[in-house]
């Protein structure tokens, strides 16, 4: 254990000892669940340039730590004091990260680093999904869609903040789902099962699992003859494992129930015929990329910003929800609801920038910034 800990510190010191020209581009990941939002951007940077890319992760199971490329340097650090010290002493030219709240809590902004880039890992609004001031200390924001651009400008005006550099990148998750779903459909052995429903709720006190509604919803779907895949949010596994255990115990002997722990695998999205959720960002991905219906349990919206109701806007989630499916009470006939004119045919380009090009756009921006 001591030697593992020492090895992490030695990796950090070796990294910090490099001159800035040798580490112009650095990515930080909280863990394996954030790798899909960074992977394609990193691959494009490596493909389009000769720059060395440094990848820092706080998760030993992060797939990014297994990627091999002569210009790709991987470092594993802890989540506590080690990470805090690392960020305080960071001396890269560009730091790209999916973690908000820079300089608001333990993770501090270093004067030795020139640019901090935030790349959003959802289509949900900045103003509702993130805490107040969550992106205020970043220099550059990668924006998945038009609503993110308008929101940042509104927040800057509302709080009298200096303008940030906004980059209309797009959203890598949508691009990945579009590409992978086409491949899925081209394989004759793959089919969308009309009897499979995926449940993927948001996490938090009002989430379907945390609020105790999960068992009833699973039971209702099973009684209606559906096979159910429950895909809890990773944070729910972390903060409310007892609630998940209760569901497992209740349905462990039921062959119509399956618990899915690996959110890096998208096969359940492709195989299912509908999604049940509350306010999870997976709803917009499911509807826009796969054009499948979403059944929303009408629970309170998950809002992390205490100032949200003071802001002169309505969140993306509220605006698009009714276009993606129907409100379901958790008891009535799902088949009747899905047969009542639920036709999801939204054009993703109306909501997301640069469809199928987001990683390339982001990589080119990073490379140009590094070359300055």
């Amino acid at each position: 254990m001591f030697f593992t800990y020492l090895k992490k510190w030695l990796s950090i010191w070796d990294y910090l000892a490099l001159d800035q020209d040798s580490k112009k581009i650095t990515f930080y990941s909280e863990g394996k669940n954030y790798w899909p939002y960074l992977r394609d951007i990193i691959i494009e940077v490596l493909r389009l340039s000769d720059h060395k890319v440094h990848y820092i992760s706080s998760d030993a199971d992060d797939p990014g730590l297994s990627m091999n490329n002569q210009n790709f340097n991987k470092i594993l650090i802890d989540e506590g004091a080690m990470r805090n010290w690392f960020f305080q002493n960071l001396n890269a030219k560009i730091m790209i990260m999916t973690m908000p709240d820079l300089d608001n809590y333990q993770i501090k902004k270093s004067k030795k680093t020139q640019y901090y880039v935030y790349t959003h890992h959802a289509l949900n609004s900045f103003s509702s999904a993130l805490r107040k001031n969550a992106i205020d200390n970043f220099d550059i924001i990668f924006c998945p869609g038009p609503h993110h651009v308008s929101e940042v400008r509104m927040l800057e005006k509302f709080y009298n903040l200096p303008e940030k550099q906004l980059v209309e990148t797009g959203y890598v998750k949508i691009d990945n789902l579009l590409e992978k779903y086409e491949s899925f459909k081209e394989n004759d052995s793959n089919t969308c099962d009309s009897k499979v429903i995926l449940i993927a709720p948001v996490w938090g006190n009002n989430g379907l699992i945390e609020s105790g509604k999960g068992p009833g919803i699973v039971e209702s779907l099973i009684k209606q003859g559906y096979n159910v895949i429950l895909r809890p949010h990773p944070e729910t596994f972390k903060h409310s494992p007892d609630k998940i255990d209760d569901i497992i115990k209740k349905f462990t002997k039921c062959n119509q129930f399956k618990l899915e722990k690996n959110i890096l695998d998208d096969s359940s999205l492709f195989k299912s015929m509908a999604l049940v959720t509350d306010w999870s960002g997976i709803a917009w991905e499911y509807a826009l990329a796969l054009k499948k219906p979403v059944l929303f349990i009408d629970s309170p919206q998950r809002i992390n910003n205490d100032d949200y109701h003071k802001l002169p806007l309505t969140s993306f989630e509220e605006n698009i929800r009714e276009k993606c499916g129907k409100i379901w009470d958790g008891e009535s006939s799902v088949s009747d609801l899905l047969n009542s004119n639920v036709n999801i045919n939204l054009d993703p380009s109306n909501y997301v920038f640069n469809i199928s090009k987001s990683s390339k756009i982001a990589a080119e921006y990073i490379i140009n910034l590094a070359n300055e």
Side-chain angles (χ1 to χ4, degrees):
M1 182 70 73
F2 172 76
F3 290 106
T4 302
Y5 184 71
L6 180 61
K7 184 179 179 181
K8 290 177 182 177
W9 274 112
L10 291 173
S11 296
I12 291 174
W13 289 329
D14 286 345
Y15 167 86
L16 294 175
L18 295 171
D19 62 81
Q20 198 176 78
D21 281 344
S22 302
K23 55 183 176 196
K24 290 182 177 180
I25 303 172
T26 300
F27 289 80
Y28 172 70
S29 170
E30 296 169 79
K32 63 182 179 182
N33 296 318
Y34 298 91
W35 174 241
Y37 303 97
L38 299 174
R39 177 191 58 217
D40 290 358
I41 299 174
I42 291 171
I43 289 173
E44 284 296 295
V45 170
L46 293 170
R47 184 180 71 85
L48 296 171
S49 76
D50 293 325
H51 284 294
K52 189 89 170 178
V53 172
H54 299 269
Y55 184 76
I56 320 295
S57 177
S58 295
D59 182 1
D61 295 326
D62 190 329
L65 297 176
S66 300
M67 192 176 93
N68 292 312
N69 184 290
Q70 63 179 2
N71 285 332
F72 188 61
N73 180 41
K74 304 156 288 187
I75 300 174
L76 175 64
I77 65 175
D78 289 348
E79 290 183 299
M82 180 183 291
R83 181 175 67 177
N84 297 345
W85 187 89
F86 169 79
F87 270 93
Q88 287 172 359
N89 292 277
L90 182 66
N91 54 356
K93 181 171 185 178
I94 309 165
M95 164 58 80
I96 305 104
M97 52 202 291
T98 59
M99 183 172 64
D101 286 307
L102 177 67
D103 220 30
N104 293 338
Y105 300 100
Q106 294 90 345
I107 305 301
K108 300 302 181 183
K109 195 172 182 178
S110 169
K111 294 180 180 179
K112 302 173 188 176
T113 295
Q114 193 170 355
Y115 299 106
Y116 285 87
V117 181
Y118 176 72
T119 180
H120 204 36
H121 53 280
L123 287 178
N124 289 32
S125 287
F126 291 141
S127 58
S128 56
L130 303 179
R131 296 184 186 95
K132 176 184 175 181
N133 309 127
I135 57 174
D136 289 0
N137 297 314
F138 286 90
D139 306 292
I140 300 160
I141 309 292
F142 283 176
C143 298
H147 59 285
H148 294 115
V149 173
S150 59
E151 281 195 22
V152 174
R153 294 303 183 219
M154 180 277 297
L155 290 168
E156 290 169 345
K157 185 176 180 181
F158 189 84
Y159 292 113
N160 194 27
L161 300 170
E163 282 198 357
K164 299 171 186 60
Q165 178 67 43
L166 305 185
V167 187
E168 298 177 358
T169 53
Y171 187 41
V172 292
K173 185 65 175 179
I174 288 286
D175 291 350
N176 286 336
L177 287 175
L178 286 167
E179 182 180 353
K180 289 162 71 174
Y181 193 44
E182 283 303 311
S183 298
F184 175 86
K185 291 186 291 184
E186 288 172 2
N187 189 329
D188 293 336
S189 63
N190 292 330
T191 58
C192 175
D193 193 330
S194 62
K195 284 297 180 182
V196 174
I197 290 184
L198 174 65
I199 304 176
V202 74
W203 73 278
N205 293 335
N206 294 319
L208 300 186
I209 295 176
E210 289 86 346
S211 65
K213 296 178 181 178
I217 291 168
V218 172
E219 186 172 25
S220 175
L221 292 171
I222 288 174
K223 284 182 177 179
Q224 294 185 44
Y226 293 101
N227 295 319
V228 176
I229 301 173
L230 177 64
R231 182 182 169 117
H233 193 283
E235 294 296 325
T236 302
F237 276 109
K238 186 185 300 184
H239 298 288
S240 302
D242 55 326
K243 297 285 188 179
I244 298 174
D245 288 342
D246 289 343
I247 298 174
I248 294 172
K249 289 175 184 175
K250 184 169 183 176
F251 299 103
T252 186
K253 295 181 180 179
C254 177
N255 58 14
Q256 289 175 259
F257 173 78
K258 177 185 175 184
L259 179 72
E260 183 170 84
K261 297 181 179 180
N262 181 16
I263 69 165
L264 301 183
D265 182 3
D266 294 317
S267 58
S268 61
L269 280 73
F270 303 149
K271 293 177 181 177
S272 56
M273 53 84 67
L275 169 70
V276 172
T277 189
D278 34 31
W279 291 92
S280 173
I282 196 175
W284 335 125
E285 298 163 7
Y286 196 83
L288 290 174
L290 311 184
K291 301 190 184 303
K292 296 182 184 183
V294 181
L295 300 177
F296 294 100
I297 303 297
D298 202 16
S299 58
Q301 183 179 358
R302 184 169 185 265
I303 296 173
N304 291 314
N305 184 354
D306 294 337
D307 274 4
Y308 173 72
H309 294 293
K310 301 176 185 177
L311 302 175
L313 58 72
T314 304
S315 70
F316 172 78
E317 302 93 275
E318 294 174 89
N319 291 331
I320 196 174
R321 202 181 196 206
E322 64 181 22
K323 302 174 184 177
C324 295
K326 299 281 187 177
I327 301 295
W328 180 48
D329 60 11
E331 298 178 357
S332 58
S333 170
V334 167
S335 60
D336 288 348
L337 193 61
L338 292 176
N339 289 331
S340 60
N341 299 319
V342 179
N343 181 26
I344 309 301
N345 194 29
L346 300 174
D347 183 351
S349 64
N350 290 334
Y351 305 93
V352 183
F353 293 125
N354 301 309
I355 296 296
S356 300
K357 299 176 182 177
S358 62
S359 57
K360 186 172 184 290
I361 298 293
E364 288 176 342
Y365 183 88
I366 292 167
I367 293 167
N368 290 336
L369 195 62
N371 289 338
E372 284 182 358

